[in-house]
Amino acid sequence: YSSNLIITPSNGFRHVCNIVLLYSQACLLQNLRYMKFNVLLLLIPLFLFSCSGTSKVDGIRTYKTRDTIFTNKVIPQAIRAAAVEALSHYPELSETEIEFKFEDEIVNSFMQAQPKISTLFRSKKKRGYIIKITREMEIDSVAIPVEEIPYEVLLGWLGHELGHISDYSKKNGANMVWFGFTYLCFDKSKVKAERRADIEALKHGMADEIIATKNFILANTSLPEVYKDKIRKYYISPEQVLELVKEMEEEHNDDKAELTKAQDSLLPVH
């Protein structure tokens, strides 16, 4: 397989995954046993590109919430308030480089979080990410700008994408490329990834926003049924969100009870 593809920081991760997919399919025709080995061999030039690449972006700013200072962020004015509020739920991403970027169109998605290819093989703390956002959503044949979507719904969308980044930040570069390959090839991997992102958002206190986003999509008769089917297939349902939140609250209460019991046992006996 040959390609005239030029890999850039903005589109690189998607193209790398496509290259890995094509190459691995060729390997499958030869010998399934060596597929992963060949994919890992392909990572060598990507590693060299990552080490020599740059992730500099114009417009990097620092944002301060009540509890946290967020650095290395690029956020368009139109979604700044919602993005900063969503970030406030993820204090561990305070120094992570994240660029929120408008796109005219994203295939089969409204938002999409990816690592920047030029930083893919750097240390986890130095890796950069991009959250692509469609400028408009079409409802009733009318293009609605993203900033006019209900605020809580937008928060839920952003919280989900930040959940992806929180998940990605735990993987090294080779694991990220392998993850991209399995995400493209296997529905089971895609389901796991999307549900992990939802669960990350729930753990970070965004249950109401996640539910609002899902209800907005599934109850909106004007959105394409194909898109809603995708949400039903790969993502946690609003009912499952409520069950998970209940389980998390019960676990939290059990932990608090155990902590209180342990603290009481340390009190002096009079």
Side-chain angles (χ1 to χ4, degrees), residues 104-160:
D104 290 330
E105 185 179 359
I106 304 172
V107 179
N108 296 326
S109 294
F110 179 65
M111 290 190 193
Q112 192 176 74
Q114 299 175 341
K116 293 185 176 182
I117 188 64
S118 61
T119 67
L120 188 58
F121 287 97
R122 296 179 187 175
S123 67
K124 296 172 185 177
K125 289 185 178 180
K126 292 184 178 180
R127 189 184 300 152
Y129 301 89
I130 184 167
I131 295 179
K132 298 179 182 179
I133 304 163
T134 306
R135 285 187 176 275
E136 298 174 332
M137 172 175 276
E138 190 169 302
I139 300 176
D140 287 330
S141 300
V142 176
I144 307 296
V146 63
E147 60 267 29
E148 294 182 17
I149 291 172
Y151 187 77
E152 190 176 34
V153 172
L154 182 57
L155 269 180
W157 250 310
L158 292 168
H160 174 85

Side-chain angles (χ1 to χ4, degrees), residues 88-106:
S88 71
H89 289 268
Y90 292 86
E92 72 274 19
L93 299 178
S94 61
E95 297 180 5
T96 303
E97 180 189 321
I98 303 175
E99 179 184 2
F100 296 78
K101 184 180 180 182
F102 282 134
E103 298 278 340
D104 290 330
E105 185 179 359
I106 304 172

